Amino acid sequence: MYDNILVPTDGSRGAENAIVRAFDLARTGDATIHVLHVIDSGSTSVDLDSTESEELRQQSKKRGREATVQIQERATGLGLEAVRAVHEGTPYRALLEYIEENEIDLIVMGTHGRTGGERAQLGSTTERVITFADVPVMAVRLAEDDAVPESGYGMYDHVVIPTDGSDAAERAADHAIGIAERYGADVHVIYVVDTTTYGFEDAPRSIVGLLKQGGQNAVEEIAADARELNLPVTTDILRGVPHEEIREYASGVDADVIAMGTRGQTADTDRLLGSTTARVIRRSDVPVLTTA
């Protein structure tokens, strides 16, 4: 399913959740793990002279090397093929360049925890990678209090696929169904009728009926693909605020991953911030797999 999985790391313990999930996906699919640390070239203080800046750079390079070596050794200890790299530059740009140069087909990376403003909960690097990457990104909540799942074949038992009928949603569904097939997981396909639309409460029943029917068609198309693989499938049409309904539903079925499409084709990242996908990622306690 995946041949090359990229795990960006900053050397912190919080990224452990993403590392474990990347390892598990690699083990089930015989993929190569790529571990990348990016030294942020724009983080050096302007108050430092050239000697101090170079010393700081070397220290950062050493920390990056130690972090990537540690993860690489863990991967090889599990029988995985693993490569590592330390690059310099703007983090999200360096990640995107690495993805293209090394034929990466999945990125597993952390989001920030529940502190700070809403934007900080996603993290600017993760946000930009989700926006601009041409490959799937699995965003994983950074571990808190060492709450890291154990790696194992039962890591994915329930896969939730919200759909709006778009091409991006269908591509996300393909990846989600692939994970479900590999792990023998239950598939839950949902469509949310957005009641936040202006004038929705006053809309004629015929319009509401058309929205529900469109949603039913969208979920059934994805459900049919899962049934062809003999996977257990449930479908639901929900009503409410999309990101709230998706998270509540995922919690109710004890989801292990949510797979969603996002356009991600615009340079205006603020558009992503307003999207249902971004809101789910910021607030979700379970990994969210996105595709453009």
Side-chain angles (χ1 to χ4, degrees):
M1 185 175 177
Y2 302 113
D3 295 320
N4 293 285
I5 299 176
L6 173 61
V7 185
T9 180
D10 60 3
S12 69
R13 168 65 181 172
E16 184 69 11
N17 204 352
I19 294 167
V20 169
R21 290 185 179 277
F23 283 2
D24 201 68
L25 286 166
R27 290 173 70 181
T28 60
D30 196 26
T32 297
I33 288 287
H34 293 251
V35 188
L36 175 64
H37 176 87
V38 179
I39 301 170
D40 188 350
S41 59
S43 63
T44 304
S45 173
V46 295
D47 296 329
L48 299 179
D49 60 30
S50 58
T51 302
E52 292 171 327
S53 294
E54 178 60 22
E55 183 178 346
L56 182 61
R57 175 178 169 274
Q58 291 301 324
Q59 290 174 353
S60 297
K61 193 171 182 178
K62 179 181 178 182
R63 285 195 299 270
R65 184 170 58 250
E66 291 172 348
T68 54
V69 166
Q70 183 183 54
I71 296 171
Q72 182 188 39
E73 290 178 346
R74 287 176 54 192
T76 55
L78 293 171
L80 297 172
E81 183 177 349
V83 296
R84 67 174 190 86
V86 178
H87 289 186
E88 297 183 50
T90 303
Y92 85 93
R93 293 183 187 277
L95 287 170
L96 294 174
E97 289 172 3
Y98 189 92
I99 290 164
E100 184 175 353
E101 293 169 359
N102 293 274
E103 299 184 344
I104 300 299
D105 41 29
L106 175 67
I107 311 158
V108 184
M109 62 191 306
T111 65
H112 286 288
R114 299 182 180 278
T115 58
E118 188 172 86
R119 185 182 181 90
Q121 290 179 23
L122 180 53
S124 61
T125 297
T126 303
E127 171 197 327
R128 288 184 173 92
V129 171
I130 290 172
T131 303
F132 297 115
D134 292 327
V135 300
V137 179
M138 181 177 285
V140 184
R141 170 90 41 201
L142 294 184
E144 298 177 4
D145 300 325
D146 296 336
V148 178
E150 293 183 7
S151 177
Y153 197 74
M155 182 167 278
Y156 299 94
D157 293 321
H158 294 276
V159 175
V160 172
I161 308 174
T163 181
D164 58 3
S166 67
D167 291 342
E170 291 180 7
R171 286 190 288 271
D174 288 342
H175 286 272
I177 290 172
I179 290 174
E181 181 185 17
R182 191 169 296 280
Y183 285 84
D186 289 5
V187 175
H188 306 267
V189 191
I190 62 174
Y191 179 93
V192 182
V193 177
D194 188 354
T195 58
T196 63
T197 303
Y198 179 76
F200 179 87
E201 295 302 330
D202 297 323
R205 288 187 177 181
S206 59
I207 298 298
V208 176
L210 285 173
L211 290 172
K212 289 184 176 179
Q213 186 58 53
Q216 191 65 48
N217 294 340
V219 298
E220 283 302 326
E221 184 174 349
I222 293 172
D225 292 338
R227 292 189 185 105
E228 286 184 4
L229 298 172
N230 296 316
L231 294 170
V233 184
T234 59
T235 62
D236 282 284
I237 305 299
L238 309 174
R239 224 172 121 161
V241 181
H243 71 89
E244 293 177 355
E245 293 296 324
I246 291 168
R247 288 176 50 246
E248 184 176 350
Y249 184 92
S251 178
V253 299
D254 198 19
D256 298 295
V257 65
I258 302 169
M260 305 179 66
T262 179
R263 285 196 183 98
Q265 300 298 324
T266 173
D268 181 4
T269 55
D270 286 340
R271 288 185 59 183
L272 179 64
L273 285 173
S275 72
T276 295
T277 302
R279 292 179 185 274
V280 171
I281 294 171
R282 292 191 196 107
R283 297 167 172 83
S284 178
D285 290 324
V286 301
V288 181
L289 178 68
T290 64
T291 59

